[in-house]
Amino acid sequence: MASAKAPVDYYALLGVPRGAQFRQISEAYWRLAAEKRDQLPLLNEAYEVLSHPQRRLVYDAQHENAPQTPEAPEQRAVLQRKPGVREKLNWYLR
């Protein structure tokens, strides 16, 4: 029986807050990619998810109960102002 793989916190892996802007994510990725060559496939995966707005929304929705890094207040405000985001995401994930 295979053990379930623990979900990876991409924000913690890259060392950025949940509300990080694209520039912060990009800078963290390139810095870590140069330092940690052995983790490059996982870093690539984290960058691909967090740098793409739709993939990031899906990732955040799927990992909302996981231990989280601090979220920027402006990111919370943006998500709270958009009614129906969760419903649209659930429809998208079907």
Side-chain angles (χ1 to χ4, degrees):
M1 183 166 118
S3 62
K5 190 169 119 177
V8 177
D9 183 358
Y10 291 151
Y11 295 103
L13 179 67
L14 294 178
V16 296
R18 290 190 83 69
Q21 300 296 319
F22 175 76
R23 182 177 180 163
Q24 291 173 291
I25 293 168
S26 183
E27 288 173 355
Y29 167 76
W30 287 108
R31 179 179 40 80
L32 290 171
E35 294 172 5
K36 300 183 179 187
R37 290 284 191 192
D38 58 325
Q39 293 185 359
L40 200 54
L42 189 55
L43 292 170
N44 284 338
E45 184 179 326
Y47 179 74
E48 286 296 318
V49 170
L50 297 182
S51 64
H52 189 278
Q54 288 177 327
R55 291 180 193 155
R56 186 174 178 175
L57 273 175
V58 171
Y59 173 81
D60 287 344
Q62 290 174 343
H63 294 88
E64 68 183 15
N65 294 329
Q68 300 176 355
T69 55
E71 184 177 340
E74 65 273 3
Q75 181 69 13
R76 280 195 306 269
V78 167
L79 292 176
Q80 289 172 354
R81 281 194 305 259
K82 294 182 180 178
V85 169
R86 180 155 325 276
E87 290 79 18
K88 290 177 186 177
L89 221 76
N90 287 336
W91 180 85
Y92 179 76
L93 293 174
R94 285 192 272 169

